[in-house]
Amino acid sequence: MSPRVRLHVDHPLGAAQTVPLDRDQAHYLFAVMRLNGGDAVALFNGRDGEWLAQVAQAGKRGGALICLERTAALKIPPDLWLIFAPIKKARTDFIVEKAVELGARRILPVQSTYTNSERIRRDRLQTHAVEAAEQSGATFVPEVAELERLERLLDGWPAARQLMFCDEALARQGGSDETPFAGMARGAPWAILIGPEGGFSEAERRRLAAMPQAVAVRLGPRILRADTAAVAALTLWQSALGDW
C-alpha cells in the first residue's frame, strides 16, 4: 500500500487511531484526488511523525481515516529562525514555502523602516507553510508569527541566539575566501534576517552592527531580490551549520 497523497491533520496519530476529516479535507481527498474506501493516505501532524492511514469512510462533507503504522519519526529542523520583511503577496508566499522546504524552525515577518507591506494574513501564510510541508515530505510545520516591528523584535532579542544579518551594502565589496561561519559549532540557536526591497536604513544597520550576536554576511557580488536572498541565505547556513 503506497500512498500518493500526503495530508497534514490537527489530530493525534497512533496505531488504530481514527482521524476524522472536515469538509475541506474530504473534498480534497475524495473529489479532487479521487480516493475511495481502502485507499492509502500519508498523515502527519507535526508531533507524532508520519503515519500510513487508510480511508475508512468517504463522503462529500466528511469522512474518516484509520492509522495503520508509523512510517517516519518526527524530524525537527535545526533551531533556525527566518526573519524577513514582507514584499508582494506571491513573493512573500514563496519565501514562506521555501523556508519550510529548506528547514527553518520558525518564520517571523517583520516591519522595518522601508517595508512596503504594513499587514499580512498570518493564517494564509500558515496554510502555505502546511502545504509546503505536505509536498516536501517534512514531518514538522514551522510557526508563522504575527507581523512585528523589527526594533521591537531586537529589543527582546535572546542573548544566546546568533543573528545572520544579510547586508546588501556588502554586495559590491570584495569577497573573502573564509566562510562567515568559520570556527562556529553546529547546534547553536540562530536566526537569519533578510531586509525589504528598499534595504535597511542606516539606523537599523548601525543597531545590527552593534549587536554582539549579529554576524554580517555578504550574499555574493550582486544585490539579490528579497525572495532570492532568503533562499541563498538559508542554503548557506544549512550547508555550513545545519542538517545538510
Side-chain angles (χ1 to χ4, degrees):
M1 182 183 294
S2 178
R4 59 186 178 89
V5 177
R6 198 164 184 271
L7 184 68
H8 176 269
V9 295
D10 187 16
H11 195 277
L13 301 176
Q17 175 73 53
T18 299
V19 179
L21 300 172
D22 61 30
R23 185 169 185 167
D24 289 342
Q25 291 169 331
H27 175 77
Y28 172 67
L29 292 181
F30 309 134
V32 178
M33 300 306 297
R34 304 291 184 182
L35 298 189
N36 297 298
D39 285 343
V41 181
L43 298 180
F44 71 106
N45 59 8
R47 303 182 299 274
D48 300 318
E50 180 183 272
W51 284 76
L52 174 66
Q54 189 175 43
V55 176
Q57 300 174 17
K60 292 182 178 180
R61 299 184 179 182
L65 308 174
I66 298 292
C67 292
L68 302 179
E69 60 178 339
R70 192 168 77 164
T71 52
L74 174 65
K75 185 176 182 181
I76 299 177
D79 192 358
L80 175 65
W81 298 354
L82 176 67
I83 306 167
F84 74 99
I87 47 179
K88 293 180 180 178
K89 180 179 175 181
R91 291 171 61 198
T92 294
D93 295 346
F94 176 88
I95 290 174
V96 170
E97 292 164 3
K98 299 313 165 188
V100 175
E101 292 177 26
L102 293 168
R105 191 183 295 187
R106 194 166 180 235
I107 302 169
L108 298 91
V110 293
Q111 188 173 14
S112 62
T113 301
Y114 299 137
T115 301
N116 292 328
S117 179
E118 296 183 355
R119 61 185 60 141
I120 62 167
R121 281 279 308 277
R122 193 204 70 83
D123 58 339
R124 188 178 61 82
L125 293 179
Q126 189 68 60
T127 297
H128 278 288
V130 168
E131 291 171 350
E134 288 175 340
Q135 294 169 10
S136 64
T139 56
F140 175 85
V141 181
E143 173 203 11
V144 180
E146 293 285 359
L147 183 67
E148 184 176 12
R149 293 290 306 179
L150 177 59
E151 62 264 29
R152 182 176 178 183
L153 179 66
L154 296 180
D155 284 343
W157 192 257
R161 185 171 296 275
Q162 297 292 109
L163 177 60
M164 176 178 167
F165 162 39
C166 301
D167 188 358
E168 76 282 357
L170 301 177
R172 293 191 177 92
Q173 296 184 13
S176 170
D177 293 334
E178 185 178 6
T179 172
F181 308 116
M184 296 184 180
R186 294 174 184 260
W190 274 83
I192 292 171
L193 173 60
I194 303 294
E197 292 178 325
F200 293 102
S201 69
E202 286 304 316
E204 290 166 342
R205 189 172 282 106
R206 286 194 299 270
R207 178 167 188 184
L208 288 162
M211 290 178 62
Q213 303 97 327
V215 178
V217 173
R218 174 179 179 267
L219 296 177
R222 289 165 292 278
I223 295 176
L224 305 178
R225 290 171 56 156
D227 46 352
T228 307
V231 173
L234 286 162
T235 301
L236 179 64
W237 188 91
Q238 283 282 23
S239 63
L241 298 177
D243 58 0
W244 287 16

